[in-house]
Amino acid sequence: MSAEDLFRVMSQSIVEGEPEEAERLAREALAQGIEPLEAINHGFVPGVTEVGRGFGCGEMFLPDLVRAGAAMKAAIKVLEPELVRRGMTRESLGTVVIGTAKGDIHEIGKNLIGTMLAASGFQVHDLGVDVSPAAFVAQAREVNADIVGVSALLTTTMLGQREVIRALEQAGLRPHVKVLVGGAPVTRDWAEEIGADGYSEDALGAVRVAKQLLKIAQV
Amino acid sequence: MTIAVIENPKVSLNILTESEVRQIHHATLDVIESVGVRFPSAKALDILQAHGAAVDHATHVARIPGQAVEAALAKAPPTYALAARDASLDLALDGRHTYLGTDGCGVEVLDAFTGERHRSTLQDVSDAARMADYLDAIAFHWTPVSAQDRPPESRSLHELLAIWNVSQKHVQTETIVTEREARAAVEMAAAIAGGRDELRKRPILSIMQCTLAPLAQDGGSIEAGLAAAEAGLPVGYMTMASCASTGPATLAGNLVVGNAEVISALALMQMAYPGCPVYYAAAQTAMDLRTGAYTGGGPEDFLFGAATNVLADFYRVPLSMGAFATGAKEPGWQSAVDNSFSSFMAVSTGADMLLGAGLLHGSRILSYEMLVMDAEIWSIVRAMSRGIVVNHETLALDAIRDVGPGGNFLAHKHTKRHMRELWLPTLMDRRPYSAWEEKRDGAREWAREKAQAILRDHHPEPLDEKLVNALRHIIASVEAEAM
């Protein structure tokens, strides 16, 4: 298969959301001696762009985005070590630490946002559920986070979002770390009251807000 | 004070065949037995294990034999009553009655007088409960909005007291999610009922817990449910499995996932306290394909509303079904479509309790206008549920003979006897066009006026002051314990 043909099927594996196929094609590209960065930028990224276009005009839906994100992740997993071996890194839009507030184990919204942010080019560190403010702080410090995202589904655990902001302030990290909050009971007013930097009702909105906060141009 | 109950609805709907229900049941047992359900509670896992479940203590997943689930469910009482503080407002969960309750738990309120949106407080809980107390369409309370000006560890108890303080109707709370709160709520309810035994006989409080789709429970909710079941309070578990996100995209698959969550929790209650009153609760939906949001309305919801009752009937337990609860941002076309279809579908399969009156935006925003409008939708559904009565008197042959071709029935005695059986609107605009043109007002304005009048004028007698102090004391001890 020519490189052009290979790039075309790589893109297709993202559009169709087939992680195993994407992984196989990534290996094939390396076997053919294609540079990993070229495989990403000319093979897989056009697929992501196509999915974004399809979603934007209503031909594709959220599950398509999530599947595309999973396929991209599978391809990157193969290509990234090769990049590193060559002393190169894939450009990241920013580093994000996410988790659900202390006492809250509802994670689907948070997971969705993690997938969307990663698929959009952010480096995502997911702390999982029931995360203490101290754990958010520790991780944010360790990975030098640009953004911390705290999710809560309950009116009671929502208060934990404020605690995370306070803990970041106390740790002296607040000037460098933007805080994103979300979850069913969370409103714009609440986000403003607790001093969060960003708020979104859905996962795609969260990506937009994250880009705005880091002053990244929107595509 | 009366309650506008739907009794023995004549309208019915065939939604699932017997064979289809069995297929769903067997698929559910397969899931519970082979995939398992997560119960993050040592107490629950011990009980399940003692009843034959294979328990993984690291993942908290219990794989429960289908036979153990069936044997446990068979112990659940098929009928019982939800007591009210005023016995004339008791609710019979006997498969022949359908009652409407309020929605919960919202986080914002549209002020009835200014229309401004604000974050909900304890005062809003009290005001909404007063309005629900006034409306005969509302048979029981849910905690309508969250008292966000009270501490999280005792908030549900403040809410409970606020409702009891303005209404004698039954309260079903969905905001008690820890064992500590549940034990305090039992103590409070017993103080009002006149002791634990009286409370067991006449449970003025029932408890509603949410499952965590797919196939998981919340540890706090499970332990709160066990504490309530121990005291004889009716306990229900609600699935909100959402097609394509927290459940399969297909409706049947979604029913299987939700059913596994609910019946595994109900079976646990029966294993722990055989014969305790339990109920099935559900509010499944389909994810919005564009945003991933829980939709609160749409054809899938309406089908679930009908199908779930068939499942609850199969297990011979009452159903508390999420209806109403539109996804609309304000009262209007969308809310009318959502709330009419959802309530009609659930009523036409004989759900015992319907939830959801009064909230907008997928149960997030309380609107007093919406509550009044929902009461009117309920009155339409109630009138429809009576169906068409056919007998000698209603066939009206004598009247037809008297009037004959070309006459009219306006002044006939038969008309006088029966005209008040016809439904009369309070919010539908049936005026002449010219009358409408003068002010161009309608349902929203009239609902607002009615809501304002109720909030101004309806002030039920509060609880005895000594009793209130005793209840406050219980709440204070919970707060002290949490410190």
Side-chain angles (χ1 to χ4, degrees), chain B residues 35-351:
Chain B
V35 183
V37 178
R38 187 190 295 151
F39 285 82
S41 152
K43 196 181 284 182
L45 289 174
D46 286 347
I47 297 168
L48 293 166
Q49 195 162 28
H51 285 79
V55 165
D56 182 332
H57 286 277
T59 62
H60 302 136
V61 170
R63 295 181 176 80
I64 318 166
Q67 278 177 333
V69 173
E70 285 182 323
L73 288 175
K75 294 185 178 128
T79 66
Y80 53 90
L82 299 179
R85 278 166 51 221
D86 170 351
S88 72
L89 303 174
D90 281 3
L91 313 177
L93 306 184
D94 56 4
R96 302 192 305 117
H97 295 85
T98 308
Y99 303 99
L100 175 62
T102 42
D103 198 6
C105 177
V107 290
E108 293 184 306
V109 180
L110 296 177
D111 187 279
F113 294 90
T114 66
E116 301 264 321
R117 188 163 48 90
H118 67 263
R119 190 172 322 141
S120 58
T121 64
L122 190 63
Q123 185 60 48
D124 296 313
V125 177
S126 174
D127 289 345
R130 270 198 299 131
M131 179 153 332
D133 183 70
Y134 177 89
L135 296 168
D136 68 356
I138 305 297
F140 64 100
H141 298 275
W142 253 29
T143 302
V145 289
S146 179
Q148 294 174 80
D149 53 347
R150 289 296 178 274
E153 65 273 12
S154 61
R155 185 178 293 170
S156 63
L157 305 173
H158 286 285
E159 293 160 351
L160 193 52
L161 174 53
I163 299 171
W164 272 329
N165 211 17
V166 295
S167 181
Q168 308 236 4
K169 291 177 179 175
H170 180 82
V171 183
Q172 182 168 99
T173 157
E174 78 286 9
T175 57
I176 289 173
V177 290
T178 63
E179 181 176 349
R180 186 163 55 200
E181 289 167 281
R183 293 206 178 280
V186 166
E187 211 182 315
M188 290 166 73
I192 293 176
R196 292 294 182 103
D197 291 341
E198 276 308 305
L199 179 63
R200 189 176 290 277
K201 271 183 238 157
R202 294 189 41 76
I204 56 169
L205 173 68
S206 56
I207 302 285
M208 214 293 305
Q209 300 293 349
C210 273
T211 66
L212 182 53
L215 302 178
Q217 314 287 354
D218 180 291
S221 291
I222 283 293
E223 289 175 3
L226 284 169
E230 184 182 6
L233 298 186
V235 180
Y237 280 83
M238 171 181 273
T239 177
M240 296 177 76
S242 182
C243 286
S245 64
T246 55
T250 48
L251 271 65
N254 194 290
L255 283 172
V256 169
V257 164
N259 198 35
E261 294 157 15
V262 175
I263 68 171
S264 64
L266 299 188
L268 170 70
M269 298 298 130
Q270 294 304 322
M271 289 170 184
Y273 306 104
C276 68
V278 292
Y279 57 91
Y280 200 117
Q284 306 100 318
T285 187
M287 176 190 84
D288 177 70
L289 282 175
R290 294 188 180 87
T291 62
Y294 180 92
T295 51
E300 296 85 5
D301 288 36
F302 311 149
L303 287 167
F304 284 137
T308 308
N309 193 56
V310 183
L311 290 177
D313 282 351
F314 178 79
Y315 297 113
R316 294 167 56 83
V317 290
L319 172 69
S320 192
M321 186 70 213
F324 293 88
T326 179
K329 309 297 183 287
E330 57 178 15
W333 178 86
Q334 184 181 344
S335 64
V337 171
D338 277 346
N339 293 0
S340 303
F341 275 119
S342 64
S343 55
F344 179 75
M345 291 290 275
V347 164
S348 59
T349 49

Side-chain angles (χ1 to χ4, degrees), chain A residues 55 62 106 155 159 184 193, chain B residues 107 119 152 212 289-290 364:
Chain A
F55 185 85
L62 194 62
H106 302 86
T155 51
L159 301 169
E193 183 186 312
Chain B
V107 290
R119 190 172 322 141
L212 182 53
L289 282 175
R290 294 188 180 87
R364 289 190 189 87

Side-chain angles (χ1 to χ4, degrees), chain A residues 6-58:
Chain A
L6 190 58
F7 288 155
R8 200 170 306 120
V9 288
M10 285 164 118
S11 165
Q12 201 56 28
S13 73
I14 302 295
V15 173
E16 284 168 9
E18 298 293 345
E20 284 162 22
E21 178 72 354
E23 188 186 327
R24 190 185 66 76
L25 292 168
R27 289 190 200 291
E28 194 172 322
L30 291 178
Q32 287 194 19
I34 295 172
E35 281 298 311
L37 203 57
E38 204 179 335
I40 293 172
N41 291 340
H42 297 291
F44 295 114
V45 167
V48 174
T49 309
E50 170 59 18
V51 172
R53 190 203 61 80
F55 185 85
C57 68

Side-chain angles (χ1 to χ4, degrees), chain A residues 98-104 126-136 150 160 164:
Chain A
I98 58 172
T100 72
K102 183 83 196 138
D104 205 319
D126 186 346
L127 294 174
V129 300
D130 190 10
V131 181
S132 69
F136 274 108
V150 194
V164 173

Side-chain angles (χ1 to χ4, degrees), chain A residues 91-139:
Chain A
E91 213 171 313
S92 156
L93 294 184
T95 303
V96 187
V97 171
I98 58 172
T100 72
K102 183 83 196 138
D104 205 319
I105 56 172
H106 302 86
E107 62 173 340
I108 182 162
K110 181 263 298 165
N111 292 349
L112 199 49
I113 280 169
T115 305
M116 290 297 113
L117 287 171
S120 310
F122 287 88
Q123 189 98 44
V124 178
H125 299 268
D126 186 346
L127 294 174
V129 300
D130 190 10
V131 181
S132 69
F136 274 108
V137 168
Q139 184 73 10

